[in-house]
Amino acid sequence: PPLRQAIYKMMRFWLDKGVDGFRMDVIPFLSKDTDFPNYPPGRYGDLTIHANGPRIHEFLQEMNQEVLSRYDSCITVGEGFGVSAEQANLYVGRDRHELDMIYHFDHAVPRDEPYFVDPAPEFTLPELKAIFAKWNTALDNAKPSARGWQNIYFGNHDNPRVLSRFGDSVHYHYESATMLATVLLTQRGTPSIYQGDEIGMTNCPFNSIEEYDDIQVKNAWRELVESEKYPADIFLKTANRIARDHARTPVQWSDAPNAGFTDGQPWLKINPDYQSINIKQQTDNPNSVLSFYKNLLRWRKQMPVLHDGTYRDLLPDHPSIWAFERSLNNDRIQIITNFSAKTAVLPGELIAAIQSSQQMLSNYRDKADALRPFEVRVYS
């Protein structure tokens, strides 16, 4: 109790100073089994076994009662490592009085040590859609007083750049970036836009282990490459796909030296594409990725159906089209995207679903019968 009271005192201090809330790191680990059991077979190193300890909800409810509930504007975001969709409402249900929202790791890039030489395949689109549908259903499938809320994201500091992961930054940079923006900003939940994603920053080409800063990459290199178990080229090829340093390179403000970020020496190399992808170049360009994000955010704020509407996947098994519907009272929005670099034909059932709707938004200037690479359309 003295330690918890000290923490609450610190929280009250910062809230009184004007802090608007807290992002709570690995919050499900706040309570653990006191005997620290051995890892179960097949789960060595899986830290999620320490999540959701026996007193976690007691502690969070006490924190809410002692501090959070006393500040009307305080927002809490819990990093839900180890929390399943089925457990989420225990943390963020409106009637639980614990946290305001939580984010999960179900669609995060696997970066455990073996994956640097035996890379895990990327999610198929049906798998990715199923994750989003599962969390939407779990949080919304309760009586109104118990429904929970989530923080939704594609990119963050622990994942590579979303554009390099799910898009085509070489041939369809604008189309990929704006399609991903639309999917994110039409989801139920509070979206987080990771710094640089709003201009379509991409993975940085790291050429040697010396160019990395992430301790996870360096530890894996020592264990896998310096031990002569695996060749360096295999490791570096995979690291250039999954390492989190890709999201940690300096934000590209302009085409000036060091991307306008600093006159000194940055902690990581500057992505060489900064001369063509930067904030200054996109700020006054109405056809830029940044302008698309701004317009989409303004539009989202004006439409309650995108805040609180239900979520329904229209084509859960389609391999390249992500189509979903948001509904609230008499308002209905359909979002249709091509999650690939190949043209996709609209299935008949999807045409029927939108035939009485009007197209409100697209990332292509003209219209076509089929969905072009990374095209997104929004209907109402």
Side-chain angles (χ1 to χ4, degrees):
L3 176 59
R4 298 205 301 276
Q5 290 302 321
I7 293 172
Y8 301 156
K9 182 178 180 180
M10 178 189 67
M11 295 174 70
R12 286 190 288 267
F13 171 84
W14 286 112
L15 289 166
D16 289 338
K17 291 290 186 180
V19 167
D20 292 320
F22 301 97
R23 180 266 192 192
M24 300 181 175
D25 198 64
V26 292
I27 196 65
F29 291 66
L30 200 63
S31 167
K32 306 178 187 67
D33 287 322
T34 55
D35 57 350
F36 287 94
N38 291 329
Y39 284 108
R43 294 182 62 186
Y44 177 72
D46 181 359
L47 296 178
T48 62
I49 70 167
H50 299 301
N52 310 302
R55 301 182 68 188
I56 181 60
H57 299 295
E58 172 194 343
F59 291 158
L60 289 178
Q61 288 171 11
E62 179 185 270
M63 181 187 296
N64 187 288
Q65 180 179 352
E66 293 286 329
V67 182
L68 304 175
S69 63
R70 304 181 184 186
Y71 295 83
D72 292 338
S73 61
C74 177
I75 295 294
T76 53
V77 183
E79 182 189 40
F81 188 56
V83 177
S84 68
E86 294 74 19
Q87 296 168 317
N89 272 341
L90 295 175
Y91 286 85
V92 296
R94 294 173 185 172
D95 59 352
R96 296 287 297 175
H97 306 294
E98 295 187 17
L99 303 176
D100 292 308
M101 66 186 89
I102 198 168
Y103 68 90
H104 63 83
F105 285 71
D106 286 7
H107 63 319
V109 173
R111 283 189 332 277
D112 296 331
E113 186 177 282
Y115 292 134
F116 282 95
V117 290
D118 186 15
E122 188 52 87
F123 294 103
T124 65
L125 183 60
E127 290 171 339
L128 184 65
K129 291 187 289 188
I131 291 170
F132 276 74
K134 176 179 69 175
W135 277 85
N136 271 290
T137 299
L139 289 167
D140 199 31
N141 190 21
K143 60 182 180 180
S145 63
R147 287 176 186 151
W149 199 248
Q150 65 174 316
N151 176 224
I152 49 175
Y153 70 96
F154 272 138
N156 62 23
H157 67 289
D158 280 332
N159 284 274
R161 285 289 171 183
V162 60
L163 181 55
S164 296
R165 183 183 179 194
F166 291 129
D168 183 337
S169 61
V170 176
H171 303 100
Y172 299 102
H173 179 273
Y174 175 83
E175 294 82 1
S176 299
T178 51
M179 181 275 289
L180 290 164
T182 308
V183 172
L184 176 68
L185 296 177
T186 55
Q187 295 285 333
R188 181 180 184 271
T190 298
S192 287
I193 303 170
Y194 184 67
Q195 56 188 24
D197 284 351
E198 74 276 18
I199 60 170
M201 283 182 62
T202 67
N203 280 0
C204 180
F206 293 107
N207 299 311
S208 67
I209 190 62
E210 287 74 24
E211 291 184 333
Y212 284 96
D213 183 63
D214 185 3
I215 189 64
Q216 182 187 46
V217 173
K218 293 181 177 181
N219 286 342
W221 173 271
R222 283 194 293 269
E223 175 62 27
L224 300 171
V225 178
E226 290 185 357
S227 65
E228 299 184 349
K229 295 176 183 177
Y230 297 93
D233 58 340
I234 291 178
F235 184 100
L236 291 173
K237 181 180 179 180
T238 303
N240 259 319
R241 181 170 73 85
I242 69 173
R244 36 185 197 182
D245 271 344
H246 294 297
R248 300 177 179 188
T249 59
V251 170
Q252 295 158 206
W253 290 97
S254 71
D255 60 1
N258 286 333
F261 187 87
T262 179
D263 293 330
Q265 181 64 36
W267 67 95
L268 282 172
K269 70 182 290 187
I270 304 292
N271 193 318
D273 65 11
Y274 75 91
Q275 292 184 327
S276 58
I277 302 174
N278 61 73
I279 294 170
K280 182 179 179 181
Q281 182 268 338
Q282 294 192 24
T283 297
D284 296 322
N285 179 0
N287 298 315
S288 68
V289 175
L290 180 59
S291 292
F292 192 94
Y293 264 94
K294 289 180 178 179
N295 291 334
L296 192 56
L297 283 167
R298 282 193 288 267
W299 183 57
R300 175 185 171 89
K301 289 181 179 180
Q302 297 168 2
M303 302 190 68
V305 64
L306 294 179
H307 302 159
D308 299 316
T310 59
Y311 176 95
R312 182 168 70 96
D313 195 329
L314 300 176
L315 294 172
D317 299 320
H318 198 286
S320 61
I321 295 178
W322 191 344
F324 56 95
E325 182 177 82
R326 304 293 313 284
S327 300
L328 181 66
N329 300 325
N330 295 323
D331 293 329
R332 183 173 298 173
I333 302 289
Q334 294 104 8
I335 299 91
I336 301 173
T337 73
N338 182 359
F339 231 76
S340 77
K342 296 181 179 180
T343 299
V345 177
L346 290 171
E349 63 266 36
L350 191 55
I351 295 175
I354 62 175
Q355 64 181 357
S356 60
S357 302
Q358 291 185 337
Q359 183 173 308
M360 302 175 59
L361 178 74
S362 176
N363 57 353
Y364 278 77
R365 296 185 182 182
D366 57 341
K367 294 185 178 181
D369 292 333
L371 282 173
R372 290 157 289 190
F374 299 105
E375 183 174 4
V376 60
R377 302 177 190 173
V378 179
Y379 293 88
S380 174

